Amino acid sequence: MKLKYKNQSIEVTTTTNKLILKYRFQKLYYAIMIKNCNRYSSIANKQRVDVVMTDDKLTILSYKKEMHENTVYTNELATTTILLPLNYFSNLKEGEHFTIEE
């Protein structure tokens, strides 16, 4: 599965585990989509990531670039959180959409 934004795409995996990056030492090279998640905590993460909060239709509600360790990010309207490698999508804009390619 691929997550697509404009003309770029990246491999994506889906989970409901909010602690997916906890104590992870390997560099993130794909996207992680966390369903039913509107709050992400990077406490105990071992790397920086970009965090995008979306709704069910994958509309970008908010995002935080280069979220460092020991930070909490929340968006009450979000239903899905997407973790991305640092600066993978450089031109993200609120209100635009991601798409999923099988």
Side-chain angles (χ1 to χ4, degrees):
M1 231 173 23
K2 290 192 175 194
L3 181 69
K4 187 173 182 181
Y5 179 73
K6 295 189 178 181
N7 61 352
Q8 287 182 286
S9 63
I10 187 171
E11 292 292 324
V12 65
T13 186
T14 305
T15 185
T16 56
N17 180 3
K18 297 176 185 175
L19 303 175
I20 191 88
L21 285 182
K22 196 169 191 171
Y23 306 116
R24 183 186 168 104
F25 297 105
Q26 197 174 24
K27 185 176 179 182
L28 186 65
Y29 60 91
Y30 57 92
I32 300 172
M33 185 182 300
I34 307 169
K35 297 284 190 173
N36 302 319
C37 178
N38 65 358
R39 179 180 184 274
Y40 185 73
S41 170
S42 66
I43 296 172
N45 282 10
K46 299 299 179 188
Q47 62 183 298
R48 292 179 179 213
V49 294
D50 291 344
V51 178
V52 183
M53 300 285 186
T54 69
D55 61 12
D56 287 333
K57 297 177 183 175
L58 297 180
T59 303
I60 299 170
L61 301 175
S62 63
Y63 60 92
K64 184 163 182 77
K65 294 280 203 170
E66 299 185 27
M67 185 169 163
H68 61 83
E69 303 85 352
N70 302 321
T71 305
V72 176
Y73 188 58
T74 304
N75 184 318
E76 295 299 323
L77 300 175
T79 58
T80 303
T81 299
I82 301 172
L83 307 179
L84 297 165
L86 282 180
N87 301 312
Y88 191 83
F89 295 117
S90 59
N91 56 351
L92 290 174
K93 292 188 178 145
E94 293 178 10
E96 293 191 353
H97 299 273
F98 286 107
T99 56
I100 298 289
E101 294 179 342
E102 296 295 327

